[in-house]
mmCIF file of all heavy atoms in Angstrom:
data_model
loop_
_atom_site.group_PDB
_atom_site.id
_atom_site.type_symbol
_atom_site.label_atom_id
_atom_site.label_comp_id
_atom_site.label_asym_id
_atom_site.label_seq_id
_atom_site.Cartn_x
_atom_site.Cartn_y
_atom_site.Cartn_z
ATOM 1 N N GLU A 203 -35.275 -16.904 -10.786
ATOM 2 C CA GLU A 203 -35.946 -17.641 -11.869
ATOM 3 C C GLU A 203 -37.433 -17.309 -11.946
ATOM 4 O O GLU A 203 -38.089 -17.583 -12.949
ATOM 5 C CB GLU A 203 -35.761 -19.153 -11.660
ATOM 6 C CG GLU A 203 -34.337 -19.582 -11.949
ATOM 7 C CD GLU A 203 -34.131 -21.076 -11.758
ATOM 8 O OE1 GLU A 203 -34.382 -21.579 -10.641
ATOM 9 O OE2 GLU A 203 -33.709 -21.735 -12.714
ATOM 10 N N ILE A 204 -37.961 -16.730 -10.883
ATOM 11 C CA ILE A 204 -39.402 -16.461 -10.820
ATOM 12 C C ILE A 204 -39.738 -15.072 -11.387
ATOM 13 O O ILE A 204 -40.771 -14.877 -12.005
ATOM 14 C CB ILE A 204 -39.878 -16.508 -9.339
ATOM 15 C CG1 ILE A 204 -39.612 -17.883 -8.738
ATOM 16 C CG2 ILE A 204 -41.318 -16.090 -9.180
ATOM 17 C CD1 ILE A 204 -40.650 -18.922 -9.005
ATOM 18 N N PHE A 205 -38.852 -14.118 -11.155
ATOM 19 C CA PHE A 205 -39.166 -12.721 -11.495
ATOM 20 C C PHE A 205 -38.291 -12.197 -12.638
ATOM 21 O O PHE A 205 -37.282 -12.784 -12.980
ATOM 22 C CB PHE A 205 -38.961 -11.831 -10.268
ATOM 23 C CG PHE A 205 -39.774 -12.259 -9.071
ATOM 24 C CD1 PHE A 205 -39.151 -12.596 -7.868
ATOM 25 C CD2 PHE A 205 -41.155 -12.349 -9.147
ATOM 26 C CE1 PHE A 205 -39.900 -13.000 -6.769
ATOM 27 C CE2 PHE A 205 -41.911 -12.755 -8.052
ATOM 28 C CZ PHE A 205 -41.281 -13.077 -6.869
ATOM 29 N N GLY A 206 -38.736 -11.061 -13.193
ATOM 30 C CA GLY A 206 -37.907 -10.339 -14.162
ATOM 31 C C GLY A 206 -38.149 -10.701 -15.613
ATOM 32 O O GLY A 206 -37.311 -10.458 -16.471
ATOM 33 N N TYR A 207 -39.341 -11.245 -15.933
ATOM 34 C CA TYR A 207 -39.616 -11.615 -17.328
ATOM 35 C C TYR A 207 -40.062 -10.420 -18.168
ATOM 36 O O TYR A 207 -39.836 -10.359 -19.360
ATOM 37 C CB TYR A 207 -40.676 -12.730 -17.385
ATOM 38 C CG TYR A 207 -40.096 -14.043 -16.928
ATOM 39 C CD1 TYR A 207 -40.133 -14.409 -15.589
ATOM 40 C CD2 TYR A 207 -39.448 -14.880 -17.815
ATOM 41 C CE1 TYR A 207 -39.554 -15.591 -15.153
ATOM 42 C CE2 TYR A 207 -38.863 -16.057 -17.404
ATOM 43 C CZ TYR A 207 -38.918 -16.407 -16.067
ATOM 44 O OH TYR A 207 -38.324 -17.568 -15.646
ATOM 45 N N ASN A 208 -40.759 -9.490 -17.536
ATOM 46 C CA ASN A 208 -41.196 -8.271 -18.230
ATOM 47 C C ASN A 208 -41.936 -8.607 -19.526
ATOM 48 O O ASN A 208 -41.858 -7.895 -20.515
ATOM 49 C CB ASN A 208 -39.968 -7.422 -18.545
ATOM 50 C CG ASN A 208 -40.281 -5.944 -18.416
ATOM 51 O OD1 ASN A 208 -41.289 -5.583 -17.814
ATOM 52 N ND2 ASN A 208 -39.458 -5.112 -18.974
ATOM 53 N N ALA A 209 -42.645 -9.728 -19.492
ATOM 54 C CA ALA A 209 -43.192 -10.293 -20.725
ATOM 55 C C ALA A 209 -44.361 -9.495 -21.284
ATOM 56 O O ALA A 209 -44.664 -9.599 -22.465
ATOM 57 C CB ALA A 209 -43.639 -11.729 -20.459
ATOM 58 N N TYR A 210 -45.026 -8.734 -20.456
ATOM 59 C CA TYR A 210 -46.217 -8.019 -20.938
ATOM 60 C C TYR A 210 -46.016 -6.516 -20.970
ATOM 61 O O TYR A 210 -46.973 -5.780 -21.121
ATOM 62 C CB TYR A 210 -47.422 -8.342 -20.047
ATOM 63 C CG TYR A 210 -47.970 -9.718 -20.302
ATOM 64 C CD1 TYR A 210 -47.424 -10.827 -19.684
ATOM 65 C CD2 TYR A 210 -49.025 -9.910 -21.182
ATOM 66 C CE1 TYR A 210 -47.913 -12.095 -19.921
ATOM 67 C CE2 TYR A 210 -49.524 -11.173 -21.426
ATOM 68 C CZ TYR A 210 -48.971 -12.260 -20.797
ATOM 69 O OH TYR A 210 -49.446 -13.509 -21.042
ATOM 70 N N ASP A 211 -44.777 -6.076 -20.773
ATOM 71 C CA ASP A 211 -44.551 -4.641 -20.803
ATOM 72 C C ASP A 211 -44.527 -4.204 -22.264
ATOM 73 O O ASP A 211 -43.592 -4.527 -22.990
ATOM 74 C CB ASP A 211 -43.214 -4.317 -20.126
ATOM 75 C CG ASP A 211 -42.933 -2.822 -20.156
ATOM 76 O OD1 ASP A 211 -43.808 -2.071 -20.635
ATOM 77 O OD2 ASP A 211 -41.856 -2.413 -19.706
ATOM 78 N N PRO A 212 -45.566 -3.476 -22.724
ATOM 79 C CA PRO A 212 -45.597 -3.118 -24.145
ATOM 80 C C PRO A 212 -44.458 -2.180 -24.499
ATOM 81 O O PRO A 212 -44.122 -1.993 -25.644
ATOM 82 C CB PRO A 212 -46.952 -2.423 -24.319
ATOM 83 C CG PRO A 212 -47.310 -1.939 -22.960
ATOM 84 C CD PRO A 212 -46.694 -2.907 -21.988
ATOM 85 N N TYR A 213 -43.851 -1.560 -23.490
ATOM 86 C CA TYR A 213 -42.765 -0.619 -23.763
ATOM 87 C C TYR A 213 -41.407 -1.295 -23.653
ATOM 88 O O TYR A 213 -40.383 -0.670 -23.775
ATOM 89 C CB TYR A 213 -42.848 0.575 -22.806
ATOM 90 C CG TYR A 213 -44.185 1.254 -22.929
ATOM 91 C CD1 TYR A 213 -45.198 1.006 -22.003
ATOM 92 C CD2 TYR A 213 -44.464 2.085 -24.004
ATOM 93 C CE1 TYR A 213 -46.451 1.577 -22.141
ATOM 94 C CE2 TYR A 213 -45.713 2.663 -24.149
ATOM 95 C CZ TYR A 213 -46.699 2.408 -23.222
ATOM 96 O OH TYR A 213 -47.938 2.967 -23.367
ATOM 97 N N GLY A 214 -41.414 -2.610 -23.353
ATOM 98 C CA GLY A 214 -40.154 -3.360 -23.259
ATOM 99 C C GLY A 214 -39.435 -3.270 -24.599
ATOM 100 O O GLY A 214 -40.042 -3.365 -25.649
ATOM 101 N N LYS A 215 -38.142 -3.064 -24.559
ATOM 102 C CA LYS A 215 -37.405 -2.865 -25.809
ATOM 103 C C LYS A 215 -36.887 -4.178 -26.379
ATOM 104 O O LYS A 215 -37.248 -5.253 -25.947
ATOM 105 C CB LYS A 215 -36.287 -1.836 -25.593
ATOM 106 C CG LYS A 215 -36.846 -0.432 -25.377
ATOM 107 C CD LYS A 215 -37.673 0.022 -26.575
ATOM 108 C CE LYS A 215 -38.337 1.359 -26.326
ATOM 109 N NZ LYS A 215 -39.336 1.675 -27.325
ATOM 110 N N SER A 216 -35.983 -4.088 -27.316
ATOM 111 C CA SER A 216 -35.711 -5.218 -28.196
ATOM 112 C C SER A 216 -34.933 -6.369 -27.575
ATOM 113 O O SER A 216 -34.843 -7.419 -28.167
ATOM 114 C CB SER A 216 -34.956 -4.727 -29.417
ATOM 115 O OG SER A 216 -33.739 -4.138 -28.997
ATOM 116 N N LYS A 217 -34.356 -6.200 -26.386
ATOM 117 C CA LYS A 217 -33.465 -7.255 -25.895
ATOM 118 C C LYS A 217 -34.165 -8.616 -25.794
ATOM 119 O O LYS A 217 -33.543 -9.641 -25.983
ATOM 120 C CB LYS A 217 -32.833 -6.861 -24.554
ATOM 121 C CG LYS A 217 -33.805 -6.781 -23.397
ATOM 122 C CD LYS A 217 -33.081 -6.359 -22.121
ATOM 123 C CE LYS A 217 -34.027 -6.099 -20.987
ATOM 124 N NZ LYS A 217 -34.843 -7.205 -20.566
ATOM 125 N N ASP A 218 -35.464 -8.606 -25.493
ATOM 126 C CA ASP A 218 -36.146 -9.896 -25.298
ATOM 127 C C ASP A 218 -36.857 -10.382 -26.551
ATOM 128 O O ASP A 218 -37.386 -11.478 -26.573
ATOM 129 C CB ASP A 218 -37.189 -9.771 -24.174
ATOM 130 C CG ASP A 218 -36.532 -9.383 -22.864
ATOM 131 O OD1 ASP A 218 -35.450 -9.929 -22.587
ATOM 132 O OD2 ASP A 218 -37.082 -8.540 -22.147
ATOM 133 N N VAL A 219 -36.879 -9.547 -27.580
ATOM 134 C CA VAL A 219 -37.674 -9.894 -28.760
ATOM 135 C C VAL A 219 -37.185 -11.202 -29.373
ATOM 136 O O VAL A 219 -37.968 -12.078 -29.728
ATOM 137 C CB VAL A 219 -37.633 -8.747 -29.800
ATOM 138 C CG1 VAL A 219 -38.242 -9.192 -31.114
ATOM 139 C CG2 VAL A 219 -38.371 -7.535 -29.266
ATOM 140 N N ASN A 220 -35.862 -11.352 -29.470
ATOM 141 C CA ASN A 220 -35.329 -12.572 -30.108
ATOM 142 C C ASN A 220 -35.712 -13.825 -29.345
ATOM 143 O O ASN A 220 -35.894 -14.887 -29.925
ATOM 144 C CB ASN A 220 -33.809 -12.487 -30.228
ATOM 145 C CG ASN A 220 -33.422 -11.540 -31.341
ATOM 146 O OD1 ASN A 220 -34.137 -11.407 -32.322
ATOM 147 N ND2 ASN A 220 -32.304 -10.850 -31.180
ATOM 148 N N GLU A 221 -35.816 -13.700 -28.015
ATOM 149 C CA GLU A 221 -36.156 -14.874 -27.211
ATOM 150 C C GLU A 221 -37.552 -15.379 -27.546
ATOM 151 O O GLU A 221 -37.763 -16.551 -27.779
ATOM 152 C CB GLU A 221 -36.054 -14.550 -25.715
ATOM 153 C CG GLU A 221 -34.611 -14.533 -25.244
ATOM 154 C CD GLU A 221 -34.500 -14.141 -23.789
ATOM 155 O OE1 GLU A 221 -35.440 -14.427 -23.016
ATOM 156 O OE2 GLU A 221 -33.468 -13.562 -23.428
ATOM 157 N N TRP A 222 -38.538 -14.450 -27.545
ATOM 158 C CA TRP A 222 -39.883 -14.961 -27.805
ATOM 159 C C TRP A 222 -40.173 -15.166 -29.285
ATOM 160 O O TRP A 222 -41.190 -15.705 -29.665
ATOM 161 C CB TRP A 222 -40.984 -14.182 -27.110
ATOM 162 C CG TRP A 222 -41.032 -12.697 -27.143
ATOM 163 C CD1 TRP A 222 -40.731 -11.858 -26.116
ATOM 164 C CD2 TRP A 222 -41.492 -11.841 -28.208
ATOM 165 N NE1 TRP A 222 -40.934 -10.555 -26.489
ATOM 166 C CE2 TRP A 222 -41.413 -10.507 -27.747
ATOM 167 C CE3 TRP A 222 -41.947 -12.076 -29.492
ATOM 168 C CZ2 TRP A 222 -41.770 -9.409 -28.531
ATOM 169 C CZ3 TRP A 222 -42.302 -10.985 -30.273
ATOM 170 C CH2 TRP A 222 -42.218 -9.674 -29.791
ATOM 171 N N LEU A 223 -39.235 -14.766 -30.129
ATOM 172 C CA LEU A 223 -39.380 -15.084 -31.552
ATOM 173 C C LEU A 223 -38.419 -16.203 -31.944
ATOM 174 O O LEU A 223 -37.903 -16.217 -33.046
ATOM 175 C CB LEU A 223 -39.095 -13.850 -32.406
ATOM 176 C CG LEU A 223 -40.188 -12.787 -32.416
ATOM 177 C CD1 LEU A 223 -39.748 -11.599 -33.222
ATOM 178 C CD2 LEU A 223 -41.497 -13.322 -32.951
ATOM 179 N N ALA A 224 -38.174 -17.115 -31.026
ATOM 180 C CA ALA A 224 -37.266 -18.236 -31.318
ATOM 181 C C ALA A 224 -37.973 -19.141 -32.319
ATOM 182 O O ALA A 224 -38.463 -20.216 -32.013
ATOM 183 C CB ALA A 224 -36.945 -18.990 -30.031
ATOM 184 N N ILE A 225 -38.029 -18.625 -33.537
ATOM 185 C CA ILE A 225 -38.893 -19.211 -34.558
ATOM 186 C C ILE A 225 -38.453 -20.620 -34.947
ATOM 187 O O ILE A 225 -39.267 -21.478 -35.255
ATOM 188 C CB ILE A 225 -38.926 -18.261 -35.784
ATOM 189 C CG1 ILE A 225 -40.084 -18.600 -36.701
ATOM 190 C CG2 ILE A 225 -37.633 -18.257 -36.551
ATOM 191 C CD1 ILE A 225 -40.404 -17.491 -37.650
#
Side-chain angles (χ1 to χ4, degrees):
E203 288 180 302
I204 300 276
F205 303 121
Y207 287 89
N208 216 16
Y210 285 84
D211 179 4
Y213 303 100
K215 290 300 175 192
S216 60
K217 68 181 173 61
D218 299 319
V219 170
N220 285 329
E221 283 177 30
W222 47 254
L223 286 177
I225 196 163

